[in-house]
Amino acid sequence: MSIAPEIARLKACAVVPVVVIDEAEIAVPLAEALLAGGIDVIEITLRRPAAMAALEVVAKRVPGILPVAGTVVTPAQAAEVHNAGALAVVSPGFTESVDEAMRKTGLPWLPGVATASDCMRAVSAGRLTCKFFPAEQAGGVAGLKALSGPFPQMQFCPTGGVSLANLGNYLALPQVICVGGSWLVPADAVKNRDWAQVTKLSREAREKAAELRG
């Protein structure tokens, strides 16, 4: 089965930093700090007013990184992130209206799933690569294994409670293409503009992921 090059990029990186940005001006140095640590994707969540501007500036000024829009929950947001330069989109759940809007953009979309019913709706829409969210609260590795029984055609990006400590447990599953996590960009590092810390955490994650996947 062929996959979009953007999804292949997520799989190759293995670890996707999920970031919340309050000030658009920090987006570029933050993205550059991730790149310095070997992480070439960034998920900018639409949880703050500055998110759209941050997404746009990263898309324009940091060509080495794949800009992913996260927390897209409405059709209008789907169009907005497309116009801002996102090359892939992630949502915490699945709705038919957002699915339709995403088809209009032509961008790869990872809708969120947590239950068998969620998976059935996603599969019915042809969405076979999904975000497993909130991963730990939805059963963690055991829950993901259980879902993969009736849905062997699906691939997942677990997000929510994933950390360096349990990273290996998720990446060991063949149905997991990558994981998403906020631990790579801790709030205190962002507040203090400690980009060296972000680079250090990124490098640790990439090295562990490479070790696990050979």
Side-chain angles (χ1 to χ4, degrees):
M1 179 181 66
S2 63
I3 61 174
E6 295 84 2
I7 301 299
R9 185 101 168 256
L10 295 177
K11 184 175 182 178
C13 190
V15 182
V16 180
V18 179
V19 305
V20 177
I21 295 180
D22 288 303
E23 303 167 81
E25 57 265 29
I26 71 165
V28 168
L30 172 56
E32 290 174 340
L34 292 168
L35 273 176
I39 300 289
D40 66 351
V41 301
I42 182 172
E43 179 186 331
I44 298 176
T45 63
L46 302 190
R47 300 184 182 186
R48 297 289 191 274
M52 205 67 71
L55 181 64
E56 187 170 5
V57 73
V58 167
K60 288 181 178 178
R61 294 176 52 191
V62 193
I65 204 161
L66 179 75
V68 179
T71 323
V72 172
V73 298
T74 69
Q77 287 177 330
E80 288 171 4
V81 298
H82 180 228
N83 293 335
L87 295 181
V89 177
V90 179
S91 297
F94 177 96
T95 67
E96 283 72 17
S97 60
V98 174
D99 178 53
E100 182 180 355
M102 286 307 309
R103 292 185 191 282
K104 291 178 180 178
T105 70
L107 296 176
W109 180 46
L110 279 68
V113 298
T115 67
S117 294
D118 293 340
C119 291
M120 287 177 67
R121 293 174 70 196
V123 169
S124 294
R127 301 293 185 178
L128 303 183
T129 302
C130 293
K131 173 178 181 173
F132 179 55
F133 177 83
E136 285 293 286
Q137 294 86 342
V141 170
L144 191 50
K145 285 181 177 179
L147 285 177
S148 296
F151 303 103
Q153 71 274 55
M154 296 187 71
Q155 299 183 113
F156 301 93
C157 172
T159 306
V162 181
S163 66
L164 191 66
N166 60 15
L167 172 66
N169 297 331
Y170 284 104
L171 290 181
L173 301 179
Q175 63 269 37
V176 169
I177 62 165
C178 61
V179 303
S182 59
W183 87 91
L184 298 165
V185 187
D188 60 338
V190 174
K191 180 180 179 181
N192 297 322
R193 308 298 197 261
D194 188 355
W195 308 129
Q197 173 71 354
V198 173
T199 295
K200 176 179 178 291
L201 293 171
S202 299
R203 185 174 294 116
E204 287 176 353
R206 280 293 291 134
E207 289 175 352
K208 185 163 185 176
E211 177 185 336
L212 292 164
R213 290 194 159 175

